Amino acid sequence: RLQESRERLSVCSKLCYAVGGAPYQITGCALGFFLQIYLLDVAQVEPFYASIILFAGRVWDAITDPMVGFFISKTSWTRFGRLMPWIMFSTPFAVISYFLIWFVPDISTGQVMWYLVFYCAFQTLVTCFHVPYSALTMFISREQSERDSATAYRMTVEVLGTVLGTAIQGQIVGKVDTPCIGSPFFFGLSNSSVAMEELNMTHDTESLTDTRNAYMIAAGVIVGLYILCAIILVLGVRERRESSELQSDEPVSFFQGLKLVMNHGPYIKLIAGFLFTSLAFMLLEGNFALFCTYTLGFRNEFQNILLAIMLSATLTIPFWQWFLTRFGKKTAVYVGITSAIPFLIAVVVLDSNLFVTYMVAIAAGISVAAAFLLPWSMLPDVVDDFKLQHPGSHGHEAIFFSFYVFFTKFTAGVSLGISTLSLDFAGYQTRGCSQPGQVNLTLKLLVSAVPVGLILLSLLLFKLYPIDEEKRRKNKKALQDLREESNSSSESDNTEMASIV
């Protein structure tokens, strides 16, 4: 009990740790919900090139995760820790790159390269922040209950971060009316390139200036929050080397560790399940702004609908934390993720009605909260199970977390690129006040039918996940016994050495 009391984290420490998760979610939410519509309707990038930017940026983001995990595993401990220096040094460069993503350069050629370079640069730098931050879960305490509690704090703040990202970006941008081109004249012309040329000649080219300035103001506010949260994390959390290592551990090389991790059955089954779950919600996230604007016809309300989803998710995080401790994490997965299905169907089947859409958005937020909380709550259980099977191997926490993020981001990049390309094939019209029927049908598939299918597939995969509540309790006790045995052995060696001296 004395040992457990020493391992307990103060509420202040948990809050400071949790605040560190906000920058990734604030920027990720702003990019996820708004970058596609920004590239298409504000920066006026052609849909084909926009799909390349979104695809390449996400895929590069995925590739950088294991790369950063590799370099972290090779990083020596400093007086600030092994993970904290990555967080400190990446922050200033990340905020500069993020701001430049939302700037429209005054250049006739090279605009696509501008967005591609700074989008990829930001994804690399934010990875240098988020991968060590994710692995920090294993270095703040050895007590599983304390890690779970800190994870709940973190998920609450992260979902709150998505609310902030949605609110800041949506409300600032939403107060400016982005001009659109009337569809009757636009769709009546046979040559769309000629049509765009004629419309650009008659349409005021200065009309987008206010919208572009609004995106830059929102980026500036988000950059300020990013820096503030990073400072709170660095000053308020102590990275404990002994929290994750047993005293008898021997170091193992990165590639040996990677092989061990990828051969660990529970880890593969867990990431396979959450791979499709994350893919479903990322497809919804990436296309929901366009869906609300064109299919539902709520051009001036979509930012408020997104905010309703995120607020609902934030308020229900404590409920899911209570639910998983009361009924188990696997049960929480089944109940939480399945509950999204009827709402994803309802938003497409029901007639376009603003009140109904808000009700569906609030209900869908409950499932979003479960999808946020559960992966990060279950990953430490897999790491503990791995340690019991490989007690002589340590230092692989970053591999577990970085490769989980790698698989989800890689598939998200592929899906987002394909979805934007699908809109191009369906005949998406840049800055159109409305879209052809094929585009609306494509958006319905991307925010409803495809996510529902992915969720059902993920639920089948979760049936194979072997760590239930009974297994988790046994692992906790076995790991505690192993640590006590290691500590007592070390104390005996020290006593014997002292007697010899």
Side-chain angles (χ1 to χ4, degrees), residues 53 114 117 125 130-131 154 160 174 183 190 243 344 347 351 365 413 426-427 430 435 480 484 495:
I53 293 169
W114 172 281
V117 167
L125 293 163
H130 193 249
V131 168
R154 171 192 166 187
L160 182 60
S183 59
S190 57
S243 293
L344 292 176
V347 77
D351 293 334
T430 302
Q435 297 292 337
Q480 185 176 353
E484 290 176 354
T495 303

Side-chain angles (χ1 to χ4, degrees), residues 194-480:
V194 173
M196 180 59 72
E197 215 170 57
E198 292 180 7
L199 287 166
N200 284 340
M201 291 172 60
T202 57
H203 199 280
D204 184 8
T205 56
E206 300 292 328
S207 59
L208 284 176
T209 302
D210 290 342
T211 303
R212 292 172 176 175
N213 289 338
Y215 273 98
M216 291 177 62
I217 292 170
V221 175
I222 290 174
V223 160
L225 286 174
Y226 191 116
I227 296 171
L228 177 63
C229 292
I231 291 172
I232 293 173
L233 172 66
V234 171
L235 296 180
V237 177
R238 186 170 76 90
E239 184 181 346
R240 306 180 184 183
R241 182 173 185 174
E242 69 277 3
S243 293
S244 182
E245 297 181 5
L246 301 174
Q247 295 186 12
S248 60
D249 287 341
E250 291 295 332
V252 177
S253 72
F254 175 83
F255 292 104
Q256 287 177 316
L258 179 60
K259 183 178 179 180
L260 289 173
V261 167
M262 290 304 164
N263 286 330
H264 190 58
Y267 179 65
I268 298 300
K269 292 167 184 173
L270 182 69
I271 62 173
F274 278 116
L275 178 69
F276 293 102
T277 303
S278 301
L279 191 54
F281 284 100
M282 286 179 182
L283 267 177
L284 179 64
E285 177 189 70
N287 295 281
F288 196 72
L290 291 173
F291 176 75
C292 289
T293 300
Y294 295 113
T295 305
L296 297 181
F298 302 137
R299 174 176 290 274
N300 297 321
E301 288 289 333
F302 77 87
Q303 68 272 10
N304 297 323
I305 297 170
L306 297 177
L307 186 58
I309 295 175
M310 294 298 104
L311 280 173
S312 173
T314 303
L315 295 175
T316 49
I317 281 283
F319 165 76
W320 287 117
Q321 175 64 19
W322 168 83
F323 190 95
L324 67 86
T325 55
R326 177 68 177 82
F327 300 101
K329 296 179 182 180
K330 284 190 72 172
T331 304
V333 168
Y334 297 139
V335 175
I337 296 176
T338 306
S339 62
I341 294 177
F343 304 115
L344 292 176
I345 296 173
V347 77
V348 172
V349 173
L350 298 177
D351 293 334
S352 179
N353 181 284
L354 187 58
F355 176 77
V356 172
T357 303
Y358 271 110
M359 292 299 101
V360 170
I362 292 170
I366 299 173
S367 297
V368 173
F372 265 88
L373 175 65
L374 291 167
W376 301 110
S377 179
M378 297 170 76
L379 269 173
D381 299 338
V382 173
V383 177
D384 286 343
D385 186 73
F386 176 84
K387 287 181 179 179
L388 286 175
Q389 295 188 27
H390 306 279
S393 180
H394 73 87
H396 307 309
E397 292 82 6
I399 298 176
F400 276 98
F401 287 90
S402 63
F403 271 89
Y404 164 71
V405 179
F406 165 77
F407 287 118
T408 55
K409 285 182 178 178
F410 183 83
T411 53
V414 173
S415 67
L416 193 55
I418 291 175
S419 66
T420 309
L421 205 57
S422 300
L423 293 174
D424 187 27
F425 290 147
Y428 181 86
Q429 305 294 349
T430 302
R431 292 176 59 197
C433 293
S434 60
Q435 297 292 337
Q438 296 92 330
V439 173
N440 290 325
L441 176 60
T442 302
L443 287 170
K444 287 181 179 180
L445 292 173
L446 292 173
V447 302
S448 180
V450 178
V452 167
L454 292 170
I455 288 173
L456 292 174
L457 181 58
S458 70
L459 292 174
L460 293 175
L461 292 170
F462 278 123
K463 293 287 289 183
L464 304 174
Y465 178 66
I467 304 179
D468 54 16
E469 287 305 295
E470 182 181 357
K471 173 77 170 174
R472 194 168 69 90
R473 283 192 292 267
K474 288 181 179 178
N475 284 352
K476 178 181 177 181
K477 185 178 185 307
L479 196 60
Q480 185 176 353

Side-chain angles (χ1 to χ4, degrees), residues 67-277:
M67 289 171 56
V68 171
F70 170 77
F71 289 118
I72 288 175
S73 68
K74 296 297 183 182
T75 303
S76 301
W77 282 85
T78 67
R79 65 191 184 94
F80 299 107
R82 189 172 69 180
L83 305 175
M84 283 297 185
W86 285 83
I87 294 171
M88 291 188 288
F89 291 119
S90 65
T91 296
F93 301 103
V95 296
I96 294 171
S97 300
Y98 179 80
F99 183 80
L100 292 176
I101 292 173
W102 302 104
F103 175 75
V104 180
D106 188 17
I107 51 178
S108 57
T109 59
Q111 189 182 40
V112 173
M113 187 59 63
W114 172 281
Y115 290 114
L116 187 60
V117 167
F118 285 109
Y119 188 34
C120 290
F122 173 72
Q123 297 291 16
T124 302
L125 293 163
V126 79
T127 297
C128 292
F129 182 104
H130 193 249
V131 168
Y133 172 75
S134 300
L136 190 62
T137 308
M138 304 302 298
F139 291 87
I140 56 177
S141 176
R142 286 187 298 188
E143 287 299 314
Q144 186 183 73
S145 59
E146 291 300 298
R147 295 201 304 259
D148 285 346
S149 177
T151 299
Y153 276 81
R154 171 192 166 187
M155 290 300 107
T156 303
V157 173
E158 287 198 359
V159 177
L160 182 60
T162 65
V163 174
L164 285 173
T166 306
I168 293 169
Q169 192 86 5
Q171 297 304 313
I172 293 176
V173 172
K175 292 189 179 300
V176 180
D177 291 330
T178 303
C180 64
I181 299 169
S183 59
F185 174 64
F186 190 87
F187 298 144
L189 296 173
S190 57
N191 190 321
S192 61
S193 62
V194 173
M196 180 59 72
E197 215 170 57
E198 292 180 7
L199 287 166
N200 284 340
M201 291 172 60
T202 57
H203 199 280
D204 184 8
T205 56
E206 300 292 328
S207 59
L208 284 176
T209 302
D210 290 342
T211 303
R212 292 172 176 175
N213 289 338
Y215 273 98
M216 291 177 62
I217 292 170
V221 175
I222 290 174
V223 160
L225 286 174
Y226 191 116
I227 296 171
L228 177 63
C229 292
I231 291 172
I232 293 173
L233 172 66
V234 171
L235 296 180
V237 177
R238 186 170 76 90
E239 184 181 346
R240 306 180 184 183
R241 182 173 185 174
E242 69 277 3
S243 293
S244 182
E245 297 181 5
L246 301 174
Q247 295 186 12
S248 60
D249 287 341
E250 291 295 332
V252 177
S253 72
F254 175 83
F255 292 104
Q256 287 177 316
L258 179 60
K259 183 178 179 180
L260 289 173
V261 167
M262 290 304 164
N263 286 330
H264 190 58
Y267 179 65
I268 298 300
K269 292 167 184 173
L270 182 69
I271 62 173
F274 278 116
L275 178 69
F276 293 102
T277 303

